[in-house]
Amino acid sequence: MGFEVYKFGGASVQNATGVKNLVEVLRKTEIGDLVIVISAMGKMTNALEDVVAGYFEATLKSDTLELVEAFHHNIALELFENPSAPVFKEIQTLLNELKGFLQRNKSPDYDFVYDQVVCYGELLSTTIVNAYLEQEGYRSTWHDIREYLKTDTSYREGKVNWEVTMRNLSRKLPRKGIQLTQGFIASDANGFSTTLGREGSDYTAAIIAYCLNAERVTIWKDVPGVLSADPRYFEDAVLLNFISYQEAIELAFYGASVIHPKTLQPLQRKEIPLFVKSFLNPENSGTQVSIGQLIEPHVPCYIRKTNQVLIALSSLDFSFMAEENIGEIFKLLGQYKMKVDLIQNSAISFSVCVDNKYKNLEALVVKLRADFKVTVHQDVSLYTLRHATDKALVQLEKNKEVLLKQVMQNTVQLVTL
Ligand code: ASP
Ligand code: MG
């Protein structure tokens, strides 16, 4: 087996048991040369987001930071028998660095500060896991991914500088043995921390695999693989054994949350297969995403996105919704960072279902009202049914108030109240 990349998410290392289990996964899968990418432990990214929010509201609840501190310290206490093991000091050094930053910082730029703070989740998790691997007899080397993975200065959604990243990784990251590093975080040309967007660790794994021509990438999850639906909301969710890149990109585009959308593109380009497997049952085959048939088994796939906003627009003077109107609308949607999930237009109206991720809805609507008649439905759900069958559609529409329905070749989308 050639060189591969494993990615472990927050749920897989949410406590000491999780970290121990990670070692079990390595044992059971008989790894060779490997890069391990790890996210922040459990909900630590959320906790660090709270630290940032508190800092800006000048009500820095110091207990949030204490919580982060205690969380990591307690996991370390459970993992390391020797209380004077160097890892305790390493954890403290990182936390002191973070506190030092918060004390010294003068930047009013929220997103910049966010990245300088939130990156500690991954720095801490990898420090702990690396020390534990060593205690368990693995020779693994910890790397600060920020020395390799370079982005621009779009804090909170850094755009990868592929050229520099490729050069750094291929020159400096060994392809022999076990290398352990952080997902999600990176740095800009000046060495300030950046992040790749929430849930970005899968993307990191793909970037590394792409730059180093890995043989495969495995994402270890708390689910058996990619399912045809979220079992919390749909009854007949089944495990998909195989999905083509194309289909996986479509599913991710429509909002399937299992694979981060940006993750698939670099892998597809080099045809590096992606495996999604359960860290609880590492022997099971999980889901494979690679070139080949569309989807197996061929079943309807359901995707549900909540908290969407449906905006319906028509011209004030009953004139047609034509190119320049629509062009104007899209310009505004872009300006206000609305993620567009669905559009539908007729001669005199234009509807768009968006994700108000950046909370810019009110400002956008004010702008739109200057030129259009605007109706807004907040808090709607968007359902996408891929490989739709009549039966599946009937089932999906049952007991729902449908505001808008769009039927394309084998894909149906519904916006419901
Ligand atoms: N820790 C980051 C987050 O929770 C990145 C990731 O988990 O992929 O968003
Ligand atoms: Mg996470």
Side-chain angles (χ1 to χ4, degrees):
M1 177 56 78
F3 153 80
E4 41 179 333
V5 180
Y6 277 7
K7 181 259 170 172
F8 290 92
S12 69
V13 287
Q14 61 183 328
N15 49 33
T17 316
V19 177
K20 290 177 185 166
N21 181 66
L22 185 153
V23 172
E24 273 314 292
V25 173
L26 299 188
R27 256 187 210 125
K28 287 182 181 156
T29 56
E30 295 173 16
I31 39 125
D33 299 321
L34 181 68
V35 176
I36 305 177
V37 173
I38 302 182
S39 311
M41 295 176 143
K43 298 267 176 262
M44 281 300 112
T45 303
N46 292 0
L48 289 162
E49 280 187 341
D50 289 348
V51 170
V52 179
Y55 176 75
F56 275 96
E57 285 156 22
T59 54
L60 175 60
K61 294 172 247 119
S62 61
D63 54 334
T64 321
L65 196 49
E66 275 163 27
L67 229 98
V68 171
E69 199 162 351
F71 179 89
H72 291 99
H73 190 74
N74 288 337
I75 290 184
L77 278 177
E78 266 190 70
L79 291 172
F80 304 99
E81 293 119 39
N82 176 1
S84 54
V87 65
F88 289 99
K89 206 158 157 221
E90 288 165 20
I91 294 172
Q92 209 44 59
T93 305
L94 287 169
L95 288 163
N96 291 345
E97 247 176 62
L98 168 56
K99 287 178 200 163
F101 168 79
L102 289 171
Q103 272 157 14
R104 280 190 317 274
N105 173 61
K106 298 216 164 46
S107 169
D109 179 346
Y110 195 98
D111 294 347
F112 169 79
V113 172
Y114 178 103
D115 281 357
Q116 310 319 305
V117 171
V118 163
C119 63
Y120 281 92
E122 272 69 16
L123 293 169
L124 286 160
S125 70
T126 49
T127 298
I128 293 173
V129 174
N130 194 59
Y132 185 70
L133 283 181
E134 277 172 4
Q135 176 179 285
E136 294 304 294
Y138 285 88
R139 294 211 7 216
S140 97
T141 311
W142 185 89
H143 297 267
D144 185 337
I145 195 69
R146 295 172 300 178
E147 288 170 18
Y148 305 84
L149 216 172
K150 292 289 175 178
T151 68
D152 65 2
T153 54
S154 319
Y155 299 106
R156 294 182 76 175
E157 45 182 333
K159 312 262 168 320
V160 176
N161 181 333
W162 285 94
E163 211 185 297
V164 179
T165 301
M166 171 89 93
R167 192 169 58 224
N168 289 344
L169 282 168
S170 52
R171 280 197 194 153
K172 298 194 293 188
L173 196 80
R175 258 155 279 195
K176 287 264 167 266
I178 304 176
Q179 319 304 326
L180 189 137
T181 197
Q182 306 77 31
F184 175 56
I185 72 174
S187 71
D188 66 17
N190 290 319
F192 288 109
S193 300
T194 59
T195 58
L196 304 174
R198 286 299 308 260
E199 308 304 324
S201 294
D202 293 2
Y203 187 37
T204 306
I207 294 166
I208 295 173
Y210 179 88
C211 292
L212 297 182
N213 296 315
E215 196 151 297
R216 54 201 252 165
V217 174
T218 306
I219 298 178
W220 296 99
K221 292 230 154 220
D222 56 0
V223 289
V226 180
L227 303 178
S228 63
D230 185 332
R232 285 173 298 178
Y233 308 108
F234 299 97
E235 274 168 21
D236 5 83
V238 297
L239 176 68
L240 302 171
N241 301 314
F242 185 94
I243 318 173
S244 69
Y245 293 114
Q246 193 61 38
E247 177 64 16
I249 288 169
E250 296 269 358
L251 290 173
F253 170 79
Y254 287 117
S257 59
V258 188
I259 305 172
H260 191 277
K262 280 195 279 186
T263 303
L264 293 157
Q265 275 129 356
L267 298 178
Q268 176 184 30
R269 275 190 145 191
K270 288 205 174 163
E271 297 184 358
I272 300 168
L274 171 73
F275 293 83
V276 181
K277 295 190 185 202
S278 157
F279 57 71
L280 297 171
N281 299 295
E283 301 91 343
N284 293 0
S285 50
T287 300
Q288 176 176 357
V289 182
S290 55
I291 42 169
Q293 60 180 318
L294 208 57
I295 189 165
E296 194 280 311
H298 199 281
V299 290
C301 296
Y302 302 82
I303 300 150
R304 170 181 183 265
K305 281 180 118 175
T306 54
N307 279 316
Q308 306 294 294
V309 183
L310 181 65
I311 307 173
L313 303 161
S314 53
S315 55
L316 291 168
D317 56 3
F318 297 101
S319 63
F320 289 142
M321 293 299 273
E323 289 75 12
E324 67 240 56
N325 285 340
I326 293 176
E328 179 60 24
I329 296 167
F330 268 101
K331 220 169 85 200
L332 288 171
L333 290 169
Q335 232 166 8
Y336 288 91
K337 290 193 179 176
M338 292 290 171
K339 188 175 171 304
V340 176
D341 288 319
L342 176 154
I343 52 175
Q344 194 168 69
N345 75 309
S346 71
I348 53 159
S349 77
F350 181 86
S351 297
V352 54
C353 187
V354 297
D355 198 329
N356 180 25
K357 202 169 138 196
Y358 292 91
K359 311 270 175 282
N360 291 331
L361 182 66
E362 273 175 40
L364 169 71
V365 169
V366 169
K367 273 277 191 197
L368 287 170
R369 288 225 153 99
D371 294 315
F372 304 99
K373 184 170 170 291
V374 184
T375 322
V376 179
H377 285 280
Q378 294 205 50
D379 210 7
V380 298
S381 301
L382 171 67
Y383 290 89
T384 303
L385 179 59
R386 296 270 301 162
H387 316 291
T389 59
D390 292 341
K391 185 167 157 249
L393 187 56
V394 170
Q395 179 94 350
L396 183 61
E397 281 181 301
K398 208 164 64 189
N399 305 328
K400 291 194 183 76
E401 187 172 333
V402 178
L403 296 173
L404 191 154
K405 177 171 174 178
Q406 186 152 296
V407 183
M408 293 158 282
Q409 206 182 22
N410 82 53
T411 300
V412 180
Q413 291 192 288
L414 304 176
V415 178
T416 70
L417 268 186

